[in-house]
Amino acid sequence: MTEYIRYAYQRVCSYHLTNKTGLHLDWAAFEEETGDMAGAIQALQNALKHQPNKAILSLRQIGVLRRLQTDPAQIENAFDSAVQTASEASLGEFFLIKQARYHLKVKNNKGKAMEVLRTGLKRDPASSALLYALIDCELQQLPLDVTAVLRIFDEVTVTEGLSHDQKVDFLERKILFLEDFGSDVRELRAAHHQYYELTGQAPRGRKRAFGEDEDEAMDQVPAKKPFENPPPSLLSTPPMANPYGVPMGVPPAVNAWPAPPQMMASPVGFPGYPPQAMAWPAAASYGQTWPPYQATST
């Protein structure tokens, strides 16, 4: 049965539906589940021939090589091939960040991870994604080296080619980092001064820390006017009569409910009802209207 399924996948993915990425991934997963790792890699390589710029195919191929615990050089070659064949610069940066994370988390090699990122920065020095990943490499270290992180921040903020907004964003992040982990208030004050020279205003990060932005936003919200007149929805329908004598659709403040009718006093019977209608019969005449009881013999 396995051979029939494999043959069906080969025919469909190689001739009939070559652009269906999901089928190629299913074929590779089928081969891996059956223990044929070489067949899974071959299936993904076949898919990359038809769709060379599909990131998910390249990532799945790298994942198969990693699970196979193959030679690390093959994984490096797969990453390099994905970066070189990327059709867009953003896609190449995506694979570079993935490669750096592999070295940082799987191989526990921070130096190699930062080397990969710096290689990408040579092509595009102002890439925010690569610069953030470079900072993240230092932030992920335990114990945290505050001096090394600040060194990366200083290196990033003076990078040539950064736009004004990028510099502002990196300075905000540096200030927040110093607020959380800094040990010298002079460094924090220097960062604030640098931010003020660049923007001419106080850092937004500090305002958010003390809730000033929220207060300013609340001050700008106009106060609601008191409820003076009934909403139009209450008066939009024409008044309708009801059995109680009060028109429907009119607010109580406009046409209040009438007072209950005054109860009538009656010497006999219940209050509010005529004596003739509800009076109880006299005790002397009780039972006289009933016919006499006739005893019958058995």
Side-chain angles (χ1 to χ4, degrees), residues 2-36:
T2 302
E3 293 300 327
Y4 288 105
I5 297 175
R6 179 177 289 110
Y7 177 75
Y9 272 125
Q10 289 175 350
R11 294 290 300 177
V12 170
C13 295
S14 300
Y15 300 102
H16 303 292
L17 299 174
T18 57
N19 293 326
K20 294 296 183 180
T21 307
L23 287 175
H24 291 284
L25 296 175
D26 290 341
W27 181 17
F30 166 77
E31 298 290 357
E32 190 172 356
E33 287 178 356
T34 57
D36 189 359

Side-chain angles (χ1 to χ4, degrees), residues 134-142 144 149 153 177 181:
L134 193 66
I135 296 172
D136 188 65
C137 284
E138 288 291 352
L139 288 174
Q140 295 295 327
Q141 298 302 303
L142 292 176
L144 180 64
V149 176
F153 269 118
F177 175 79
F181 306 105

Side-chain angles (χ1 to χ4, degrees), residues 12-241:
V12 170
C13 295
S14 300
Y15 300 102
H16 303 292
L17 299 174
T18 57
N19 293 326
K20 294 296 183 180
T21 307
L23 287 175
H24 291 284
L25 296 175
D26 290 341
W27 181 17
F30 166 77
E31 298 290 357
E32 190 172 356
E33 287 178 356
T34 57
D36 189 359
M37 303 298 286
I41 296 174
Q42 182 180 0
L44 292 169
Q45 289 177 347
N46 177 73
L48 287 170
K49 292 179 182 178
H50 300 285
Q51 303 177 32
N53 292 318
K54 279 291 184 178
I56 184 61
L57 295 174
S58 299
L59 289 178
R60 182 65 64 87
Q61 181 184 9
I62 295 170
V64 172
L65 292 173
R66 179 180 54 81
R67 288 188 290 272
L68 185 58
Q69 297 182 354
T70 184
D71 184 9
Q74 295 186 16
I75 301 177
E76 285 293 318
N77 293 335
F79 273 120
D80 294 339
S81 176
V83 172
Q84 292 172 3
T85 58
S87 58
E88 299 177 359
S90 59
L91 186 59
E93 293 174 358
F94 171 79
F95 284 115
L96 283 172
I97 294 173
K98 289 288 186 180
Q99 187 178 6
R101 291 181 60 189
Y102 165 76
H103 287 292
L104 183 66
K105 297 296 185 179
V106 179
K107 307 302 291 184
N108 195 22
N109 190 344
K110 185 191 74 170
K112 183 63 176 178
M114 299 187 74
E115 179 184 347
V116 170
L117 295 173
R118 292 185 187 280
T119 302
L121 287 171
K122 291 179 180 178
R123 304 175 186 175
D124 185 8
S127 172
S128 295
L130 296 177
L131 291 173
Y132 285 134
L134 193 66
I135 296 172
D136 188 65
C137 284
E138 288 291 352
L139 288 174
Q140 295 295 327
Q141 298 302 303
L142 292 176
L144 180 64
D145 190 349
V146 177
T147 304
V149 176
L150 292 177
R151 189 184 306 114
I152 296 295
F153 269 118
D154 294 337
E155 177 186 347
V156 167
T157 52
V158 298
T159 301
E160 295 183 0
L162 287 182
S163 65
H164 180 270
D165 293 338
Q166 286 178 305
K167 292 180 180 180
V168 170
D169 192 31
F170 282 117
L171 277 175
E172 285 181 352
R173 292 174 181 267
K174 179 181 178 180
I175 291 172
L176 292 177
F177 175 79
L178 287 171
E179 291 279 4
D180 293 336
F181 306 105
S183 58
D184 191 349
V185 69
R186 291 173 295 183
E187 294 178 344
L188 179 60
R189 289 176 59 86
H192 277 285
H193 182 70
Q194 187 179 4
Y195 185 93
Y196 184 80
E197 288 182 344
L198 186 62
T199 62
Q201 59 185 359
R204 291 180 295 174
R206 184 176 62 177
K207 288 186 176 182
R208 284 197 297 266
F210 291 96
E212 296 179 12
D213 283 351
E214 290 78 0
D215 295 340
E216 293 176 1
M218 291 297 294
D219 293 340
Q220 297 175 0
V221 176
K224 293 184 179 180
K225 296 182 179 180
F227 185 80
E228 298 176 355
N229 298 321
S233 59
L234 295 178
L235 303 177
S236 59
T237 56
M240 297 184 298

